[in-house]
Short mmCIF file of all heavy atoms in Angstrom, two decimals:
data_model
loop_
_atom_site.label_atom_id
_atom_site.label_comp_id
_atom_site.label_asym_id
_atom_site.label_seq_id
_atom_site.Cartn_x
_atom_site.Cartn_y
_atom_site.Cartn_z
N GLY A 361 20.13 7.12 55.05
CA GLY A 361 18.92 6.43 55.49
C GLY A 361 18.47 5.38 54.51
O GLY A 361 17.86 4.37 54.90
N GLY A 362 18.77 5.57 53.23
CA GLY A 362 18.43 4.58 52.23
C GLY A 362 19.19 3.28 52.45
O GLY A 362 18.62 2.18 52.39
N PHE A 363 20.49 3.39 52.71
CA PHE A 363 21.28 2.19 53.00
C PHE A 363 20.80 1.52 54.28
O PHE A 363 20.76 0.28 54.37
CB PHE A 363 22.77 2.55 53.12
CG PHE A 363 23.45 2.84 51.82
CD1 PHE A 363 23.74 4.13 51.44
CD2 PHE A 363 23.80 1.80 50.97
CE1 PHE A 363 24.36 4.40 50.23
CE2 PHE A 363 24.42 2.04 49.76
CZ PHE A 363 24.71 3.35 49.39
N ALA A 364 20.44 2.33 55.27
CA ALA A 364 19.98 1.77 56.54
C ALA A 364 18.68 0.99 56.35
O ALA A 364 18.53 -0.13 56.85
CB ALA A 364 19.78 2.89 57.56
N VAL A 365 17.73 1.56 55.60
CA VAL A 365 16.45 0.88 55.37
C VAL A 365 16.66 -0.38 54.55
O VAL A 365 16.05 -1.43 54.83
CB VAL A 365 15.46 1.84 54.69
CG1 VAL A 365 14.23 1.09 54.21
CG2 VAL A 365 15.05 2.94 55.66
N ALA A 366 17.51 -0.32 53.54
CA ALA A 366 17.79 -1.51 52.72
C ALA A 366 18.39 -2.62 53.57
O ALA A 366 17.99 -3.79 53.50
CB ALA A 366 18.72 -1.15 51.56
N GLY A 367 19.37 -2.25 54.41
CA GLY A 367 19.99 -3.24 55.28
C GLY A 367 19.02 -3.82 56.29
O GLY A 367 19.02 -5.03 56.55
N LEU A 368 18.16 -2.97 56.85
CA LEU A 368 17.16 -3.45 57.82
C LEU A 368 16.16 -4.39 57.16
O LEU A 368 15.71 -5.36 57.78
CB LEU A 368 16.44 -2.26 58.45
CG LEU A 368 17.23 -1.47 59.50
CD1 LEU A 368 16.46 -0.23 59.92
CD2 LEU A 368 17.53 -2.35 60.71
N ALA A 369 15.81 -4.11 55.91
CA ALA A 369 14.90 -5.02 55.20
C ALA A 369 15.50 -6.41 55.09
O ALA A 369 14.82 -7.42 55.29
CB ALA A 369 14.60 -4.46 53.80
N GLY A 370 16.80 -6.46 54.80
CA GLY A 370 17.48 -7.75 54.74
C GLY A 370 17.53 -8.44 56.10
O GLY A 370 17.30 -9.65 56.20
N LEU A 371 17.81 -7.68 57.15
CA LEU A 371 17.89 -8.25 58.50
C LEU A 371 16.52 -8.78 58.95
O LEU A 371 16.43 -9.86 59.56
CB LEU A 371 18.40 -7.20 59.47
CG LEU A 371 19.89 -6.84 59.36
CD1 LEU A 371 20.21 -5.66 60.27
CD2 LEU A 371 20.75 -8.04 59.74
N ILE A 372 15.47 -8.03 58.68
CA ILE A 372 14.12 -8.47 59.07
C ILE A 372 13.75 -9.75 58.34
O ILE A 372 13.21 -10.70 58.94
CB ILE A 372 13.10 -7.36 58.80
CG1 ILE A 372 13.34 -6.18 59.74
CG2 ILE A 372 11.67 -7.88 58.95
CD1 ILE A 372 12.54 -4.94 59.41
N ALA A 373 14.03 -9.81 57.04
CA ALA A 373 13.72 -11.02 56.27
C ALA A 373 14.54 -12.20 56.75
O ALA A 373 14.04 -13.33 56.84
CB ALA A 373 13.97 -10.77 54.78
N ALA A 374 15.81 -11.95 57.10
CA ALA A 374 16.66 -13.03 57.61
C ALA A 374 16.13 -13.55 58.94
O ALA A 374 16.10 -14.77 59.18
CB ALA A 374 18.10 -12.54 57.76
N ALA A 375 15.72 -12.64 59.83
CA ALA A 375 15.19 -13.05 61.12
C ALA A 375 13.89 -13.83 60.96
O ALA A 375 13.68 -14.86 61.61
CB ALA A 375 14.95 -11.82 62.00
N ALA A 376 13.02 -13.37 60.05
CA ALA A 376 11.76 -14.07 59.82
C ALA A 376 12.02 -15.47 59.25
O ALA A 376 11.40 -16.46 59.67
CB ALA A 376 10.89 -13.27 58.85
N GLY A 377 12.95 -15.56 58.31
CA GLY A 377 13.28 -16.86 57.74
C GLY A 377 13.87 -17.80 58.75
O GLY A 377 13.56 -19.00 58.77
N CYS A 378 14.73 -17.28 59.61
CA CYS A 378 15.35 -18.11 60.64
C CYS A 378 14.30 -18.64 61.61
O CYS A 378 14.30 -19.83 61.96
CB CYS A 378 16.41 -17.29 61.38
SG CYS A 378 17.26 -18.20 62.70
N LEU A 379 13.38 -17.77 62.02
CA LEU A 379 12.34 -18.21 62.97
C LEU A 379 11.40 -19.24 62.34
O LEU A 379 11.02 -20.22 62.99
CB LEU A 379 11.53 -16.99 63.43
CG LEU A 379 12.29 -15.99 64.32
CD1 LEU A 379 11.44 -14.77 64.60
CD2 LEU A 379 12.73 -16.65 65.63
N LEU A 380 11.04 -19.02 61.08
CA LEU A 380 10.13 -19.96 60.42
C LEU A 380 10.76 -21.34 60.20
O LEU A 380 10.05 -22.34 60.17
CB LEU A 380 9.70 -19.40 59.07
CG LEU A 380 8.57 -18.37 59.08
CD1 LEU A 380 8.39 -17.75 57.70
CD2 LEU A 380 7.26 -19.01 59.54
N SER A 381 12.06 -21.39 60.06
CA SER A 381 12.71 -22.65 59.74
C SER A 381 13.24 -23.37 60.97
O SER A 381 13.84 -24.44 60.84
CB SER A 381 13.87 -22.41 58.75
OG SER A 381 14.82 -21.51 59.30
N ARG A 382 13.04 -22.81 62.16
CA ARG A 382 13.53 -23.47 63.38
C ARG A 382 12.62 -24.62 63.77
O ARG A 382 11.40 -24.57 63.55
CB ARG A 382 13.60 -22.48 64.54
CG ARG A 382 14.62 -21.35 64.39
CD ARG A 382 16.03 -21.87 64.26
NE ARG A 382 16.39 -22.18 62.87
CZ ARG A 382 17.49 -22.84 62.52
NH1 ARG A 382 18.30 -23.28 63.46
NH2 ARG A 382 17.74 -23.07 61.25
N PRO A 383 13.17 -25.66 64.40
CA PRO A 383 12.35 -26.81 64.80
C PRO A 383 11.18 -26.45 65.71
O PRO A 383 10.09 -27.00 65.58
CB PRO A 383 13.35 -27.72 65.51
CG PRO A 383 14.67 -27.37 64.92
CD PRO A 383 14.60 -25.89 64.65
N TRP A 384 11.41 -25.49 66.65
CA TRP A 384 10.34 -25.19 67.60
C TRP A 384 9.15 -24.52 66.92
O TRP A 384 8.03 -24.55 67.43
CB TRP A 384 10.84 -24.29 68.72
CG TRP A 384 11.36 -22.96 68.28
CD1 TRP A 384 12.66 -22.63 68.00
CD2 TRP A 384 10.60 -21.77 68.03
NE1 TRP A 384 12.75 -21.32 67.60
CE2 TRP A 384 11.51 -20.77 67.62
CE3 TRP A 384 9.24 -21.46 68.12
CZ2 TRP A 384 11.10 -19.49 67.28
CZ3 TRP A 384 8.83 -20.17 67.79
CH2 TRP A 384 9.77 -19.20 67.38
N SER A 385 9.37 -23.95 65.69
CA SER A 385 8.24 -23.29 65.03
C SER A 385 7.20 -24.30 64.59
O SER A 385 6.02 -23.96 64.43
CB SER A 385 8.74 -22.50 63.81
OG SER A 385 9.26 -23.37 62.82
N ALA A 386 7.61 -25.56 64.39
CA ALA A 386 6.63 -26.60 64.03
C ALA A 386 5.62 -26.80 65.16
O ALA A 386 4.43 -27.03 64.91
CB ALA A 386 7.34 -27.91 63.72
N VAL A 387 6.08 -26.69 66.40
CA VAL A 387 5.18 -26.85 67.54
C VAL A 387 4.16 -25.71 67.56
O VAL A 387 2.96 -25.93 67.77
CB VAL A 387 5.99 -26.87 68.86
CG1 VAL A 387 5.05 -26.96 70.04
CG2 VAL A 387 6.98 -28.02 68.84
N VAL A 388 4.63 -24.49 67.29
CA VAL A 388 3.72 -23.34 67.28
C VAL A 388 2.70 -23.48 66.16
O VAL A 388 1.50 -23.26 66.35
CB VAL A 388 4.53 -22.04 67.11
CG1 VAL A 388 3.58 -20.84 66.99
CG2 VAL A 388 5.48 -21.86 68.28
N ARG A 389 3.16 -23.90 64.98
CA ARG A 389 2.24 -24.04 63.85
C ARG A 389 1.19 -25.12 64.12
O ARG A 389 0.04 -24.99 63.76
CB ARG A 389 3.03 -24.36 62.56
CG ARG A 389 3.93 -23.23 62.11
CD ARG A 389 4.41 -23.46 60.67
NE ARG A 389 5.06 -24.75 60.52
CZ ARG A 389 6.36 -24.96 60.73
NH1 ARG A 389 7.12 -23.95 61.14
NH2 ARG A 389 6.90 -26.15 60.55
N GLN A 390 1.63 -26.20 64.77
CA GLN A 390 0.69 -27.29 65.06
C GLN A 390 -0.35 -26.84 66.08
O GLN A 390 -1.53 -27.15 65.98
CB GLN A 390 1.46 -28.50 65.56
CG GLN A 390 0.59 -29.75 65.69
CD GLN A 390 1.42 -30.97 65.99
OE1 GLN A 390 2.56 -30.87 66.41
NE2 GLN A 390 0.83 -32.13 65.77
N ARG A 391 0.09 -26.06 67.06
CA ARG A 391 -0.83 -25.61 68.10
C ARG A 391 -1.91 -24.71 67.52
O ARG A 391 -3.07 -24.77 67.93
CB ARG A 391 -0.05 -24.86 69.20
CG ARG A 391 -0.94 -24.33 70.33
CD ARG A 391 -0.08 -23.62 71.37
NE ARG A 391 0.83 -24.55 72.01
CZ ARG A 391 0.52 -25.31 73.06
NH1 ARG A 391 -0.70 -25.26 73.56
NH2 ARG A 391 1.41 -26.12 73.59
N PHE A 392 -1.50 -23.86 66.54
CA PHE A 392 -2.46 -22.92 65.97
C PHE A 392 -2.98 -23.37 64.62
O PHE A 392 -3.61 -22.59 63.89
CB PHE A 392 -1.80 -21.53 65.83
CG PHE A 392 -1.53 -20.88 67.16
CD1 PHE A 392 -0.26 -20.96 67.73
CD2 PHE A 392 -2.53 -20.22 67.84
CE1 PHE A 392 0.00 -20.38 68.96
CE2 PHE A 392 -2.27 -19.64 69.07
CZ PHE A 392 -1.01 -19.72 69.63
#
Side-chain angles (χ1 to χ4, degrees):
F363 285 104
V365 169
L368 285 173
L371 287 173
I372 292 171
C378 180
L379 292 174
L380 279 172
S381 59
R382 294 299 87 191
W384 61 265
S385 65
V387 177
V388 176
R389 294 194 305 272
Q390 188 171 18
R391 179 179 296 274
F392 292 98

